[in-house]
Amino acid sequence: MIARHALTYVGSRALAAGLNMASVAVFTRLASVETYGAYLLVLSWALVLYGATCQWPKFSFFALYDEARAPAQTGTVVRLLAAMLGLAGLAGAAAVACGLARGPATAAVLAAVAGMTLFEAACEIARARLAAGAVAVAILARAVLILGLGSLALAGTGGPLDLVFAVAGANALAALPALRAIAPLLRGGGSTAEARRLIAYGWPLVLSFGIAALAQTSDRLIIGRMAGAGELGAYGAVADFLRQSFVVFGESVALSLVSIAKRDARAGGMIAAAPVLRDAARTLTLLAAFGAVFVLSFDDLIVAVLLGPAYRAQALALAPVLLAASVLLMFRSYYFGQIIYFARTSHLDAFASAALLVAVAGLSVLLIPRLGVMGAAVAFAAGQGVACLVFVLGARLAPARDRVRMPVPLADLAGIALGAALCGALLAGIGLLPGGRGAMGEALRLALLAAGFAAAAWRFNIVGLADALRRRRGAA
């Protein structure tokens, strides 16, 4: 079950990642650097508002989900989300009334928040029900719709707000497969008792998610303020590509393996969940190590294919630093950050989010005037490392009754990293040979990287794939 469940999520995320990269490629060719930067700026404010209002209920739902109480829990979280959307609307109206924001931009921000809320909530409820197929279809549908509707918006008007509205609509439409899977639960009524449980668990997340969203976008907001939308467009394009590459796969691991680990923990505690969590750590390390080798070995080709020529020089310079930031973000959010689902409280996430905001915003203010967008990249990477460290140390230093550690199979992780490093050295050596950077040389290097990835996945039995293949071969 684990292999099938995980591969469904990973496969859908891989296809969606390809489509999302295609979206970046198309958007950076249809839009000028300034237009794309303005779009990213509006989207950044939408992410901040979403994180401060509508994100916490879905995490509380997943953490407290109980099949016996599923209808009441679902009905309650739907009502909480509706209330949070109303609060977001009031915040937007207040910002316009006070002259802090313009009406059209605020409308675009609120549309983006509504679309994200609908999609993420529907998929989270379906994930808790282990409805992997419905979530996978929704993920793919969103990627297709963002590419299609976004391209139409840019080809039609070329305006950044129109692109935001198109992405919001794509999120809303893509939620339909997940909504269909959970339709029977949506008829459940609300429960005061369930609301108390969700709020008691999730109230620290209101602050921590708002802070985290601001921290995740503060580099972009500061770039937009200090350097302008043109600089933000190039920075955001390469950052989005790398985040998509790693965050998408990291999220797929969390969606699949952590869902199963949470179910096992409900039945037998952390001892029962530990084997699946160790498998999640190995899977993330495999994706991070070989993904990093891929980006560093083929960065010139990737940038040429995915980004427009106006983005090329800056993308190549920023890629190594933003690559490190993306890997750290993946481990922070999708492995060590998952500890809040197994601990008694969610306070640790608030501390990590606060540390992330202080590090990213503080270093951005200090470094951007001196180093430009490279300073923002360094600040973002450093902030992810600090927040990840807070999760690791906080889990170890917590009071005994709250102490929960995510298992880390160090020997296996070191073996995966060593295998990726050797593979990277081999690819670099081939690249130095005559013809190593030609079409045949690049094809050979890519084939060797794929072979190394497959060998490591087999050797370390990632998501039980080796065991599943052995059983199938034995049955045949």
Side-chain angles (χ1 to χ4, degrees):
M1 174 188 176
I2 291 177
R4 176 175 54 82
H5 196 75
L7 288 174
T8 299
Y9 280 119
V10 173
S12 65
R13 292 276 165 176
L15 291 173
L19 290 168
N20 289 333
M21 292 173 194
S23 295
V24 173
V26 172
F27 295 171
T28 57
R29 284 166 172 81
L30 290 176
S32 66
V33 178
E34 290 76 13
T35 296
Y36 193 72
Y39 155 73
L40 291 177
L41 194 59
V42 174
L43 202 59
S44 295
W45 282 115
L47 290 170
V48 171
L49 185 58
Y50 172 73
T53 56
C54 300
Q55 191 173 16
W56 70 269
K58 70 165 192 170
F59 285 91
S60 291
F61 175 87
F62 181 73
L64 302 178
Y65 177 74
D66 187 336
E67 291 183 10
R69 308 198 312 271
Q73 285 182 323
T74 303
T76 303
V77 81
V78 167
R79 286 160 175 79
L80 282 174
L81 286 168
M84 292 299 102
L85 278 174
L87 183 62
L90 288 175
V96 173
C98 295
L100 300 175
R102 296 181 179 179
T106 301
V109 167
L110 293 175
V113 170
M116 283 187 280
T117 299
L118 183 60
F119 179 84
E120 297 293 341
C123 288
E124 195 74 11
I125 296 170
R127 168 165 87 112
R129 302 280 291 175
L130 299 183
V135 176
V137 172
I139 290 167
L140 287 172
R142 179 170 65 169
V144 171
L145 287 166
I146 286 176
L147 176 58
L149 296 179
S151 299
L152 288 174
L154 287 176
T157 66
L161 295 186
D162 294 314
L163 181 56
V164 175
F165 281 116
V167 171
N171 272 287
L173 290 172
L176 293 176
L179 288 171
R180 181 180 179 184
I182 62 174
L185 294 178
L186 297 177
R187 291 191 288 268
S191 164
T192 303
E194 293 297 342
R196 289 197 190 99
R197 292 190 188 97
L198 291 169
I199 293 171
Y201 178 88
W203 74 261
L205 298 179
V206 177
L207 179 62
S208 66
F209 284 164
I211 292 173
L214 186 58
Q216 295 282 44
T217 57
S218 60
D219 56 336
R220 301 183 180 210
L221 298 176
I222 294 172
I223 290 172
R225 180 73 174 176
M226 290 185 169
E231 292 293 320
L232 176 58
Y235 174 88
V238 64
D240 284 345
F241 160 67
L242 290 170
R243 287 192 200 183
Q244 284 292 332
S245 303
F246 289 93
V247 172
V248 161
F249 286 109
E251 190 177 7
S252 69
V253 172
L255 286 170
S256 56
L257 296 181
V258 176
S259 298
I260 294 171
K262 178 62 179 174
R263 181 202 62 186
D264 293 345
R266 285 195 294 266
M270 280 298 290
I271 294 177
V276 179
L277 290 175
R278 281 193 289 268
D279 200 14
R282 285 189 288 265
T283 304
L284 284 174
T285 303
L286 179 77
L287 294 170
F290 281 88
V293 171
F294 172 71
V295 171
L296 294 175
S297 300
F298 299 94
D299 56 351
D300 194 65
L301 179 62
I302 291 169
V303 170
V305 171
L306 290 176
L307 301 179
Y311 302 78
R312 175 178 163 75
Q314 192 174 92
L316 290 173
L318 293 171
V321 180
L322 289 175
L323 172 63
S326 298
V327 170
L328 289 169
L329 185 155
M330 182 174 70
F331 277 98
R332 176 188 70 80
S333 296
Y334 300 114
Y335 190 68
F336 293 110
Q338 303 299 306
I339 196 170
I340 66 172
Y341 294 127
F342 303 95
R344 294 164 61 92
T345 69
S346 56
H347 294 80
L348 188 57
D349 189 76
F351 291 125
S353 297
L356 179 65
L357 177 59
V358 170
V360 174
L363 288 173
S364 291
V365 170
L366 289 174
L367 297 178
I368 289 175
R370 301 178 184 179
L371 303 176
V373 290
M374 179 59 76
V378 172
F380 190 73
Q384 297 300 330
V386 169
C388 194
L389 193 61
V390 169
F391 276 121
V392 174
L393 295 180
R396 294 176 179 272
L397 300 176
R401 66 186 185 90
D402 296 329
R403 192 173 298 157
V404 177
R405 299 183 185 181
M406 298 292 280
V408 182
L410 288 175
D412 288 351
L413 304 191
I416 293 170
L418 178 61
L422 292 173
C423 190
L426 178 59
L427 266 59
I430 294 174
L432 295 175
L433 297 174
R437 294 288 182 172
M440 293 300 296
E442 294 287 61
L444 175 61
R445 294 194 326 137
L446 189 59
L448 289 173
L449 180 61
F453 178 88
W458 178 271
R459 168 65 181 81
F460 294 96
N461 194 28
I462 300 300
V463 299
L465 184 60
D467 287 344
L469 291 175
R470 289 189 190 102
R471 286 194 298 270
R472 176 169 294 185
R473 190 164 54 190

